[in-house]
Amino acid sequence: VFTAYSTLAILDNRKKPKEICELLANGLSLIEENSTWIIDYANKAYIINCFIILIKKYSEVKQLELACKYNESMISFSEKYYKYGLPTVLLSACILFSSINKFEKNYTLYQRLYTMFDELDPIQQYKVVKELLHFEYQKGNYSYVVELSLIHEELIAKSKDEHKQTVLDISGFGFLKNARKLNDMKSSWNFEDINNAYKLGCEWALRNNILMFPTICINYAYWLYQFDNQKNNAIK
């Protein structure tokens, strides 16, 4: 029955988007009702493909809540029956959430993907790091931006992403704002911690983003200049 529903939905070019949604939704509803069957069903990748087509069609007809619901159902299905393919499914789910402007749902998915880092290929790894840098910067978690930038420095440097400069700028401002944030923490203010944070940012910028170096360096100098015993170092 599932094959009949999905075949009619996918192969009949005369079907309108709403008809395709109805057929695929009916077919996929059989999964939870027949868990014994689905465990033995060999082509689970085909079911994932049906989910993806359904989500895209719901998006096409502007039923975004249903698109979101089935995206979450796709993840749940993979967690139960398609575990070895979960990283790929999560990456697909992120793309689909973005396509329906549910960007906030991607944060936890990229966090999960980061725990599966070794299962991803280099392009997927870069994608996960890139998106996490964006989310963590937006959330003000600058120390984690610094950590990610250092751990995955080589991965980012080797990427051929046409938007890599934006990623490098996020990292650069992460180093700068991390140092400023440490300076603003009056209760635990420590000269060496802040000094090392600025130095780390300068060293990173020299290696990876020379355009950011003057900005970080000047801010470092301004910070040093407020201390009488550091004025010479600030000028240097």
Side-chain angles (χ1 to χ4, degrees):
V1 176
F2 168 75
T3 303
Y5 274 123
S6 58
T7 301
L8 279 171
I10 295 171
L11 296 184
D12 189 346
N13 294 328
R14 296 168 297 176
K15 292 282 186 295
K16 295 180 180 179
K18 287 186 178 180
E19 293 176 295
I20 294 171
C21 289
E22 184 178 349
L23 287 166
L24 284 176
N26 286 337
L28 291 169
S29 70
L30 299 172
I31 293 171
E32 290 301 324
E33 299 166 13
N34 296 277
S35 58
T36 303
W37 164 71
I38 201 60
I39 288 170
D40 295 326
Y41 184 70
N43 196 2
K44 294 181 177 65
Y46 175 70
I47 294 176
I48 295 297
N49 189 49
C50 288
F51 270 113
I52 291 172
I53 293 171
L54 176 59
I55 295 160
K56 288 180 177 179
K57 290 299 176 183
Y58 271 132
S59 177
E60 189 178 324
V61 297
K62 307 302 181 186
Q63 295 192 42
L64 303 186
E65 291 307 314
L66 282 172
C68 185
K69 171 193 167 185
Y70 276 99
N71 206 12
E72 291 169 345
S73 295
M74 179 176 72
I75 295 169
S76 178
F77 169 82
S78 187
E79 290 170 335
K80 291 179 183 177
Y81 306 114
Y82 192 57
K83 293 180 181 179
Y84 80 92
L86 182 58
T88 302
V89 173
L90 292 179
L91 284 164
S92 297
C94 287
I95 293 170
L96 292 166
F97 275 135
S98 296
S99 71
I100 57 175
N101 296 319
K102 298 287 184 180
F103 300 101
E104 71 284 354
K105 290 184 175 290
N106 285 344
Y107 180 49
T108 55
L109 295 184
Y110 283 118
Q111 287 179 313
R112 287 185 66 184
L113 282 162
Y114 194 66
T115 67
M116 310 171 186
F117 206 68
D118 292 340
E119 301 174 48
L120 308 176
D121 64 41
I123 293 174
Q124 293 172 330
Q125 289 177 339
Y126 171 77
K127 172 69 173 175
V128 171
V129 171
K130 172 183 177 179
E131 297 300 331
L132 277 179
L133 283 169
H134 176 77
F135 278 112
E136 300 298 349
Y137 185 86
Q138 280 193 322
K139 291 177 180 295
N141 299 328
Y142 305 123
S143 62
Y144 194 41
V145 171
V146 168
E147 183 181 335
L148 287 171
S149 300
L150 291 172
I151 292 173
H152 303 292
E153 186 172 340
E154 185 177 355
L155 178 69
I156 296 169
K158 287 183 176 179
S159 171
K160 304 207 180 287
D161 177 19
E162 61 180 308
H163 302 297
K164 186 170 71 174
Q165 186 57 49
T166 301
V167 178
L168 292 171
D169 288 343
I170 288 173
S171 292
F173 281 111
F175 278 95
L176 179 57
K177 293 199 173 187
N178 182 55
R180 287 177 175 173
K181 192 172 183 178
L182 287 172
N183 187 50
D184 291 339
M185 295 168 65
K186 304 299 183 185
S187 60
S188 57
W189 195 92
N190 183 295
F191 177 86
E192 286 303 319
D193 287 345
I194 302 168
N195 190 57
N196 289 336
Y198 273 117
K199 283 177 65 177
L200 195 63
C202 288
E203 291 165 359
W204 176 89
L206 282 173
R207 293 193 304 271
N208 300 284
N209 191 0
I210 196 64
L211 295 175
M212 277 295 301
F213 178 73
T215 301
I216 299 174
C217 190
I218 289 169
N219 278 270
Y220 182 20
Y222 283 154
W223 177 76
L224 282 174
Y225 199 78
Q226 68 183 298
F227 307 103
D228 291 337
N229 63 341
Q230 295 294 328
K231 281 184 166 51
N232 287 336
N233 289 331
I235 294 169
K236 292 176 183 178

